[in-house]
Amino acid sequence: MTESADAAGIEWFRPTSGRVMGVVGQVIAVCLVVAAVWYHREPFSAELGLAAVFGAVLVWSAILRPRLGLSPSALVMHNMLETVTIPLAAVEELSIRQVTAVRAGDHRYISPAVGKSWRTLARGDKTARRSDGLLSQRSYPDFVEERIRHAVNDARDLAGVRRGSAEQVALGKAVRREPAWPEIVALALSGAALVIAFLL
């Protein structure tokens, strides 16, 4: 139920929403860039092309970049403009609702990569009774939550810390937040270029 681990040994979970919209957005952006090149003699071509580039970077950052993964020792969140790495033993609370929410070191971290739909949340349980009376399988977000909880419990046992203890809170200080510089720079440059094009 997960994608294969990458070279860093991170087991990535399949994103649960937005992928189709993200791909469609990228295709539209490419079409607009092609149109801007084709009609390069027209006065609107530069603005159109730059708007398409800015939109493509924005869609990539907001919809396609977010991912949630497990390394042997940490929970990894690729969010829109940063990567958050949380030591598994530091995880105090975990909840997957519309988004994945993790509490560690008295801070709350959010990932939109894996979440439950409104319909699943409204149903309120992990299994649903089908029309034939049989129970359907649990949802993918429930599998992800169980997988992460199991890894957190193992890491906590290995570290010898109790949930909610001062030692666990101290582990939360090891959380790393790294800016997604390629996306930040691309958004800043394409956004600035678009504004300049409109002003000129």
Side-chain angles (χ1 to χ4, degrees):
M1 290 190 176
T2 57
E3 299 178 18
S4 58
D6 62 13
I10 299 176
E11 172 190 6
W12 293 105
F13 297 105
R14 172 176 50 83
T16 56
S17 62
R19 307 303 282 185
V20 173
M21 287 182 58
V23 171
V24 170
Q26 296 293 68
V27 170
I28 291 174
V30 170
C31 291
L32 291 176
V33 169
V34 171
V37 172
W38 184 265
Y39 294 103
H40 65 279
R41 297 181 184 277
E42 299 296 331
F44 62 82
S45 61
E47 291 86 347
L48 178 63
L50 289 170
V53 171
F54 178 77
V57 176
L58 186 62
V59 167
W60 163 261
S61 301
I63 301 178
L64 296 178
R65 185 180 191 275
R67 298 176 76 190
L68 185 66
L70 273 177
S71 76
S73 60
L75 180 65
V76 182
M77 295 178 171
H78 279 189
N79 292 332
M80 180 176 177
L81 297 178
E82 70 173 355
T83 296
V84 181
T85 304
I86 307 170
L88 289 173
V91 175
E92 301 165 24
E93 296 178 9
L94 167 70
S95 175
I96 297 183
R97 305 291 288 171
Q98 283 184 283
V99 296
T100 298
V102 175
R103 186 174 181 82
D106 290 331
H107 289 83
R108 192 166 182 258
Y109 304 95
I110 302 294
S111 171
V114 177
K116 298 178 181 178
S117 65
W118 279 104
R119 181 179 179 182
T120 301
L121 290 172
R123 196 169 59 214
D125 57 4
K126 295 184 178 181
T127 57
R129 193 168 297 278
R130 303 184 316 196
S131 58
D132 58 7
L134 298 176
L135 291 178
S136 65
Q137 295 181 348
R138 60 184 175 167
S139 67
Y140 181 71
D142 288 325
F143 161 77
V144 173
E145 184 172 352
E146 183 178 318
R147 175 75 180 86
I148 296 173
R149 286 187 187 279
H150 182 73
V152 166
N153 290 336
D154 286 348
R156 202 161 49 217
D157 291 342
L158 186 62
V161 298
R162 291 181 295 103
R163 179 179 177 183
S165 66
E167 292 85 354
Q168 186 184 38
V169 174
L171 286 173
K173 295 179 181 179
V175 172
R176 297 197 319 271
R177 304 183 75 159
E178 302 171 344
W181 288 117
E183 286 78 9
I184 293 172
V185 171
L187 280 171
L189 292 179
S190 60
L194 180 60
V195 170
I196 291 172
F198 273 113
L199 292 177
L200 296 179

